[in-house]
Amino acid sequence: MFTHCAFCRHGFATNESLEHLRAGRKLAYDPVRGRLWQICPKCQRWTLAPIEERWEALEELEKIVTDSARLLAQTDNVALLRSGDLRIVRVGRAQLREEAWWRYGREFKRRRTRFHVLTAAGVGAAATLGFSGMVAGGFGYYLLYRAAQRVPYIGRRIRFGKTAWQGHTVCPGCGGTLTLLEFDQRKNLTLWRTADGLALYHRCATCHARRTDGGFMLAGSEGEYVLRRVLAYNNFAGATGDQLKSATGAILEAGSAERFANRLAENQVGFGHLQRTEALALEIAANEETERRLLELELAELERRWLEEEEIAAIVDRELTPVSGFQRLLRLERS
């Protein structure tokens, strides 16, 4: 196998997943035609592996895709998957359910660990002050302990600040304006879906009581950014294993992350009425929807590149590779 890109000579990073193909962490393959490419992380060109060295690696890749790979996105012609340190492009539609949301579980566990570390630091500081005699009396210890429990939330405020959104939007009902939205106001937000995707609605305090077409809508990329930011603030403490299991179970019950978010948006659920499980699942869904659109752009480029590289591979495999038994593969290709 090649250890460097055939076009720009950039070296392929070593992977730990394939015994018969160590060079390369982004690979493309076609199990029907027997093609295998190493994708350069620098120039993004595809280096076609020598035909006599493909077969064991192709078998390994197909087994990984079938047994353990996670499907990120797919079209009718290509599928993008991840497994361990490998990012895999499989030519042909993979018969796997798209579950991009699984990755966010690790993030919630990381947040949970950080939350506990901050809490322990606060309690430890409180204990030190108590033992040093700086705080006297049972009530004083109680106040100090309660203050120590607030340390993680102080860390959250330092990390995110007070402001969730700052801009300018106009109420169509009365012409009033909204220029600032603080995290402490998140319970006044309602989840909506517009033609541009998930959106946030904030009622107008001036005309809400007498008009039905008033209020402020944060939609499009701006609305989704604010939604993800508010959810990250809200879910700062992370999740336990059981909470994460419940959140992913809610997504599975809905059929997909997108359907789960749509169901909440159709019911126009307010943030003040979100259950813990719903808040966690909604953050997964909001992030997955944004990532899905980015993956669709990447897939379009991958499909275009595959069409170009397939033309070259067909010429190389048909005319330049004298391997016995290759006609059997060609018959497979045409079948």
Side-chain angles (χ1 to χ4, degrees):
M1 291 293 181
F2 295 107
T3 58
H4 291 75
C5 173
F7 301 92
C8 72
R9 301 305 299 163
H10 183 77
F12 294 124
T14 301
N15 71 73
E16 302 295 331
S17 302
L18 295 173
E19 179 182 352
H20 295 93
L21 176 54
R22 290 296 187 188
R25 294 185 179 179
K26 189 172 183 179
L27 307 169
Y29 79 106
D30 184 336
V32 176
R33 293 180 173 86
R35 317 271 200 244
L36 175 61
W37 297 271
Q38 296 155 284
I39 302 177
C40 177
K42 184 176 181 181
C43 71
Q44 300 301 315
R45 293 297 302 271
W46 295 23
T47 298
L48 183 66
I51 193 168
E52 63 273 14
E53 299 181 22
R54 297 177 197 169
W55 311 114
E56 290 86 356
L58 283 169
E59 289 179 4
E60 280 188 287
L61 277 171
E62 187 68 352
K63 188 175 190 306
I64 286 175
V65 166
T66 303
D67 295 347
S68 61
R70 299 284 184 171
L71 180 63
L72 304 181
Q74 63 181 339
T75 68
D76 289 338
N77 296 315
V78 297
L80 183 60
L81 309 103
R82 182 185 291 280
S83 177
D85 58 354
L86 290 178
R87 196 170 173 88
I88 304 168
V89 179
R90 184 188 188 278
V91 176
R93 192 171 180 87
Q95 299 302 311
L96 299 171
R97 184 169 57 189
E98 195 170 326
E99 293 180 354
W101 47 265
W102 70 276
R103 297 184 304 282
Y104 299 106
R106 292 177 296 182
E107 167 62 17
F108 285 127
K109 290 178 181 178
R110 185 184 68 81
R111 291 184 197 174
R112 188 72 178 174
T113 300
R114 180 185 61 201
F115 184 84
H116 283 311
V117 168
L118 289 173
T119 301
V123 172
T128 300
L129 291 175
F131 288 133
S132 66
M134 296 181 66
V135 177
F139 187 66
Y141 283 124
Y142 171 76
L143 291 179
L144 188 60
Y145 178 74
R146 290 298 301 271
Q149 289 182 312
R150 299 296 302 170
V151 168
Y153 299 99
I154 296 172
R156 177 175 69 175
R157 179 56 62 90
I158 293 172
R159 181 183 179 89
F160 287 91
K162 292 176 60 177
T163 305
W165 170 85
Q166 191 168 3
H168 185 274
T169 183
V170 179
C171 171
C174 66
T177 61
L178 180 69
T179 59
L180 185 69
L181 185 66
E182 295 188 351
F183 286 112
D184 290 343
Q185 298 173 278
R186 64 188 184 278
K187 290 186 177 180
N188 298 327
L189 296 172
T190 302
L191 185 67
W192 284 49
R193 176 171 284 279
T194 67
D196 296 324
L198 294 174
L200 290 173
Y201 172 80
H202 186 283
R203 66 187 180 89
C204 177
T206 303
C207 69
H208 176 74
R210 64 177 186 273
R211 297 179 185 268
T212 58
D213 58 347
F216 307 100
M217 187 73 72
L218 301 178
S221 58
E222 181 183 44
E224 291 192 6
Y225 170 76
V226 178
L227 171 63
R228 292 166 61 201
R229 184 168 161 79
V230 169
L231 285 167
Y233 184 92
N234 189 79
N235 298 330
F236 179 78
T240 64
D242 288 342
Q243 288 172 336
L244 186 59
K245 184 177 179 181
S246 296
T248 53
I251 291 174
L252 283 172
E253 182 183 355
S256 70
E258 183 180 11
R259 289 179 183 175
F260 176 82
N262 283 340
R263 186 171 65 187
L264 292 181
E266 288 169 1
N267 293 327
Q268 297 179 3
V269 175
F271 270 72
H273 296 92
L274 279 178
Q275 300 297 319
R276 179 67 176 154
T277 294
E278 292 176 326
L280 293 169
L282 182 57
E283 184 177 355
I284 292 172
N287 281 293
E288 194 275 334
E289 181 159 336
T290 300
E291 184 171 315
R292 178 177 54 81
R293 284 199 296 273
L294 295 175
L295 287 172
E296 286 173 355
L297 296 176
E298 184 177 353
L299 277 174
E301 175 60 25
L302 286 171
E303 189 162 352
R304 184 188 67 80
R305 177 67 68 183
W306 162 65
L307 291 172
E308 295 175 356
E309 299 298 336
E310 172 56 29
E311 290 183 13
I312 299 172
I315 295 172
V316 171
D317 284 352
R318 288 175 188 272
E319 299 181 6
L320 304 181
T321 312
V323 177
S324 60
F326 189 58
Q327 291 302 317
R328 180 179 61 83
L329 177 63
L330 294 181
R331 285 196 298 272
L332 245 182
E333 177 182 336
R334 289 192 290 267
S335 63

